[in-house]
Amino acid sequence: MRGRRSAIPTAAEEPGRYAVEMRGVHKAFGAVTVLDDVDLAVRRGEFVGLVGPSGAGKSTLLRLVNGMHTVERGSVRTLGTDPATCSRRGLRALRTKVGFAFQQFGLVGRLSAMENVLMGALATLRWPRYGVMSYPRALRVAALENLDRVGMADQRFQRCDTLSGGQQQRVAVARTLMQGPQLILADEPVASLDPASSALVLDILRRISREDDISVLCSLHQVELALANADRIVALRAGRVVLDEAADTLTADRLRTVYGTGDGTDG
Amino acid sequence: MADGGPAPAPPRPRAVLEPGRLRPPVRPASLAVGALPVAGVVLTGVAFWWIGVSVPSLLAGLGDTLALLRRMLPPDLPPAPGLLSAVVETLLIAVAGTGIATLVSLPLAFAASRSHGSARLVRGVARLVIVLTRVVPTLVFAILFVRVFGLGPLAGGLAVAVHSVGMIAKLATDVIDEADPLPAEAVRACGARRWHVAVSTVVPRVLPSLVSIVLYRLDINIRASAVLGLVGAGGIGVALQTALGGLDYDRAAGIIGVIIALILVLEVLSVATRKRVGAAVPDRTTKGHVLPVSAGARHDVGWDRGRILRFAAVAATVVLFVVSVWSLEPAPQRLLDAWPNLRQLLTGMWPPAFSSDIVLGVLESLLMAIAAAVVGSAGGLVLALLTARGIAPWRPLATAARALVVVLRGVPDLVYALLFVAALGLGPFAGLLALWISCTALAAKFFTDSLEELDAVPRQALESVGATRPQVFLGATWPQFVPAFTGNGLFVVDLALRESIVLGIVGAGGIGYLMQESVATLSYDVTSAIVIVIAVVVYGIETIAQAARRQLLGR
């Protein structure tokens, strides 16, 4: 632990090198400690897989990064800004640069894929919008391009609740692309998908990360998927970082022994 | 799986897009549903013109109402013993009516259910009884039963019972039809008779739902029995009618206060009870499975605390029910005396005497109901947005709005109608205002509940995009809320229509006045014609509402 901490240079030494920087982060809900002395750094353009059993603190960690939760001790810097010190307007400005993909997708089922994707650009607009045609033409063109990037352009006017789980998650990824994000946080994006859809969604995320130089911090349950897609693996167990290594030097068996089998009873 | 296909192609150069591809196709179904609110607003305009609602008339009405409220201060309570016995009588009417209705509803529900193989004719008759008892309001039954059984709580209790059969039996039929058919099949495969199957597989499965249905109905019935006295059918309403008839507004205010307090106390109790009943269900199933196994050869689970409490609750319910029925004084002689009245009523009802007055009266009730529901839904939406957890902008305001809704809902519609009639005079204007208030409170409660049930993830997703509050509302909350808004809005119209029918009984416009007059003058052929027209209109509105709800929820 200590050795690794000193390996992370501070932002002052190399400004702009990190998309996410957490130091000595502690977070509890009531009497339950969820994160305990966590250090984590995500470089620009890096794809970091966050693995660990249920309840290890993965979701909480992601929500600290975009300011949905705030830390009790320690510091968080997201794209060089501390979300906890932001005003409401400042937080909104920060979030426009951070995409978030949810396990349950967060799409409005009754609306079309196109309209859901367009909502990713809401922060660039002043007034509320309702209906695809209420968005400017340029945004509609951009939305179609982003749907095309995730292979969903043909279904753009289909209601989201008629799409399969994998298709919905791809639409959700297209929505984060509308933000033009520098960082994408993905909270178990494939946990409710079948293996083929999971592989496809992660493949899309990785490709986007490479092509647009977007940092991705993605929590995952499945060790194999993490190893196949991430540049670096960070393992959490009971709120502590128990492993932080480059993916190409790790084997699935070693990773499993380090953080324990994902039986969901831990933490 | 649609995702099993090939991985998406690598990034392409910017596609050249013609504008048509950016415009969503138009769906006829969504246009039809969109026409509903437009129709509502148009009909509201017609109703306002018919009744003569305008800004000056509303302002004048406000002044008159305030003047009346000033005359009601300070409220004056009737002597304690009389008041207490009136309250107890009100409660007992509701308990007796609900109990009788439950006993009648169970066999009726089995007869009406699709999954228990009753003959088609039996099923049809059972369904007809359920529909008829549901569409005719309690107070209409009360007027008729006062004629048959004379003044007093017996007429009230029976009116409550007959109308409740419609709702309890309908909901119970749905629950029975939705219960998993496999256990019933298994028992039937063992050679059990039809009623064995019903008792040992269906009853245990539907019992928790049935308990909450009955408790819910009891809650409604207590509100209903508080105003039965206005037509002489017993309860605290008799005292209210006497006070208002004698222009004793201080006394009336006191009695209304008691009614509100009573309903608020019961609201708290019923919420607590329903929570307990809901929580007790998993507990019971675990015990049923675990105890006999651990106790080895024992075939009796023994008397643990839960079983004693359950037994005591059942015993207390039975005793309370018997006492409540007894309190209605159903002496055999009295029932025999009622027979000639009943025969006169039934023979006098045929043939029904339809007239244009009836159609106009029903039309007026319908317009009042739609206008009140539309304006009330708009007000209710504002209140709900101020109240709902996760959406309300400011917590103290939310608490205040919630309290306002609870108090507004605590007053029965008929009491509002009585007050407005006293302040503004007879006519539909008073009725519309009364319905308006009760629809606002009702819509606020429905909307708050469904807003709080919405999926929070889309909202969080838009917050994480950096959207502003209004953008999050219009982008994530509103589209999710539209089906509930329309469905509940139609339900409010449905309820308002039933209420608007009875408002005329106190002179607040609509068909109710004609109805009461026809009974008072023994013109039962007019009464039956009115009941038939009401049944057709209520059933029609219900059918439209159901179709719209299906259209919205279906794809």
Side-chain angles (χ1 to χ4, degrees), chain A residues 13 18 25 43 51 74 84 122 133 146 200:
Chain A
E13 291 165 38
Y18 291 101
V25 163
R43 290 185 192 87
V51 296
L122 275 175
M133 296 310 284
N146 284 323
L200 181 56

Side-chain angles (χ1 to χ4, degrees), chain B residues 101-328:
Chain B
T102 309
L103 292 182
V104 177
S105 294
L106 262 191
L108 201 61
F110 273 105
S113 87
R114 256 172 292 118
S115 51
H116 284 273
S118 37
R120 182 169 283 202
L121 180 71
V122 176
R123 204 161 72 206
V125 171
R127 291 199 169 240
L128 184 69
V129 171
I130 292 175
V131 168
L132 272 183
T133 49
R134 195 173 71 243
V135 297
V136 180
T138 308
L139 225 61
V140 173
F141 282 122
I143 295 173
L144 294 176
F145 289 158
V146 164
R147 265 283 151 203
V148 175
F149 299 101
L151 294 170
L154 180 61
L158 289 177
V160 167
V162 175
H163 180 62
S164 303
V165 164
M167 189 189 103
I168 297 179
K170 177 176 191 295
L171 293 179
T173 310
D174 294 347
V175 172
I176 291 172
D177 278 341
E178 279 160 20
D180 180 7
L182 282 180
E185 220 166 273
V187 174
R188 218 174 283 134
C190 299
R193 284 160 195 278
R194 192 179 291 169
W195 71 274
H196 285 151
V197 175
V199 170
S200 41
T201 70
V202 183
V203 169
R205 295 191 143 248
V206 304
L207 201 61
S209 322
L210 190 71
V211 170
S212 56
I213 292 170
V214 170
L215 282 176
Y216 176 52
R217 186 67 228 188
L218 180 65
D219 188 42
I220 299 175
N221 284 345
I222 290 171
R223 288 160 200 262
S225 59
V227 294
L228 282 174
L230 298 175
V231 295
I236 195 168
V238 176
L240 182 59
Q241 177 77 315
T242 315
L244 282 173
L247 302 183
D248 191 352
Y249 292 118
D250 302 353
R251 175 63 58 87
I255 295 169
I256 291 172
V258 171
I259 292 178
I260 296 175
L262 180 68
I263 285 169
L264 291 187
V265 168
L266 288 164
E267 172 104 22
V268 172
L269 278 182
S270 83
V271 167
T273 319
R274 256 177 274 163
K275 251 186 208 155
R276 275 202 86 101
V277 171
V281 176
D283 182 30
R284 187 163 46 208
T285 42
T286 356
K287 271 191 187 136
H289 288 300
V290 173
L291 264 185
V293 175
S294 62
R298 280 181 60 187
H299 49 74
D300 183 1
V301 293
W303 284 92
D304 58 0
R305 187 168 166 272
R307 195 173 177 197
I308 294 170
L309 281 180
R310 283 199 297 279
F311 183 82
V314 171
T317 310
V318 171
V319 170
L320 182 63
F321 174 58
V322 171
V323 168
S324 69
V325 173
W326 193 251
S327 77
L328 301 183

Side-chain angles (χ1 to χ4, degrees), chain A residues 22-91:
Chain A
M22 301 180 108
R23 283 171 185 283
V25 163
H26 183 94
K27 173 73 184 172
F29 292 105
V32 184
T33 299
V34 181
L35 291 174
D36 188 12
D37 195 25
V38 168
D39 294 334
L40 174 73
V42 179
R43 290 185 192 87
R44 299 268 179 189
E46 190 181 28
F47 191 126
V48 173
L50 190 61
V51 296
S54 306
K58 303 188 294 287
S59 300
T60 308
L61 190 148
L62 291 173
R63 281 167 170 74
L64 288 173
V65 175
N66 84 338
M68 281 172 170
H69 294 329
T70 49
V71 290
E72 266 129 43
R73 283 202 304 277
S75 72
V76 177
R77 291 190 85 77
T78 306
L79 304 172
T81 313
D82 182 353
T85 60
C86 285
S87 65
R88 207 149 109 180
R89 183 185 293 250
L91 194 58

